[in-house]
Amino acid sequence: EPVLPARYVDAQPFADGVAWVRLPARASGAGASGTAPAWALIDESGAVLIDPSAGLSDVRPFRRGLAAVAHRGYWGAVDTRGRVVVPFEYSGFVTALHDGRYVDGFTDGGFAVVERGGRRGVVDRTGRVVVPPVHAAVVIHPVAFLVTDGQRWGALDRQGRLLVDPSFPSRTGAA
C-alpha cells in the first residue's frame, strides 16, 4: 500500500491503483470562501490524473475501475485515468441492490442507478443509458432491474426491455 506524504488535508485509500486527495486551500484558491477544496486524483507514484482545478466537489471510492463524482452539483463517473465516462447530468448516483444494500456508483455487474428530476434509471460502465430515468425507484437484481411507478413493481431485462408488467404491490411480488 503506497504511503501518501502529509501534504493533503483529506485522502481516501488507494483503490484500483489510484486515490482521491485534497490539498489545503490557498488563501486565494479553492476553499477561500468557506467551501472545502476540490478533490484531485493521484496514482501510486503521486502523479496527478485529475487536478483540483477540475472542481470535483464530491467523490466516491473506485469500484471496478469507475467512481461516481460530483461537479457543479451534478453527478457523473470517471475511470482510473481521470476520463469522464458518465456525463455530469444526474442529481443522484446511488445504486440500490435487491438485498437492501446500497453501493456508491456501479455494481460488480457494471450497472448504476442514476437520478434526474426525481426519477431513476440505469447506466452501464460505458455511460450508455440502459433504462431512462423515468421510474420512481430502480433496484438492481442479479438477473433484472426491478422498477416501480411508486405503486406497483415490475421488472426489466438487462437491455431495459419489459420482462414483468408493473403489477405487483412489492418488489418480491408478495401481496
Side-chain angles (χ1 to χ4, degrees):
E1 180 82 10
V3 177
L4 293 174
R7 67 174 177 252
Y8 302 109
V9 295
D10 198 358
Q12 293 185 5
F14 275 88
D16 294 339
V18 294
W20 293 110
V21 297
R22 288 199 294 193
L23 295 164
R26 293 188 180 88
S28 61
S33 62
T35 60
W39 288 93
L41 182 65
I42 61 169
D43 67 14
E44 292 176 345
S45 73
V48 176
L49 304 173
I50 298 177
D51 191 87
S53 66
L56 298 181
S57 57
D58 201 352
V59 297
R60 297 292 184 256
F62 277 87
R63 294 190 84 246
R64 300 217 176 222
L66 296 173
V69 296
H71 179 260
R72 296 187 178 162
Y74 290 95
W75 287 88
V78 297
D79 66 15
T80 56
R81 292 182 165 185
R83 295 179 300 209
V84 174
V85 178
V86 177
F88 299 106
E89 56 186 51
Y90 299 103
S91 56
F93 214 108
V94 177
T95 301
L97 303 178
H98 72 288
D99 61 7
R101 293 180 303 128
Y102 289 84
V103 295
D104 286 322
F106 289 86
T107 64
D108 290 344
F111 297 102
V113 175
V114 292
E115 181 180 342
R116 182 168 46 216
R119 309 301 277 177
R120 288 166 184 82
V122 178
V123 295
D124 69 12
R125 298 180 50 79
T126 68
R128 181 176 66 92
V129 175
V130 180
V131 177
V134 297
H135 301 281
V138 176
V139 174
I140 306 292
H141 184 276
V143 296
F145 304 124
L146 306 180
V147 297
T148 183
D149 58 9
Q151 301 290 320
R152 301 284 179 193
W153 286 86
L156 307 176
D157 70 12
R158 288 291 192 237
Q159 287 71 47
R161 295 183 301 244
L162 188 65
L163 275 176
V164 178
D165 278 319
S167 56
F168 294 94
S170 75
R171 292 191 332 218
T172 60

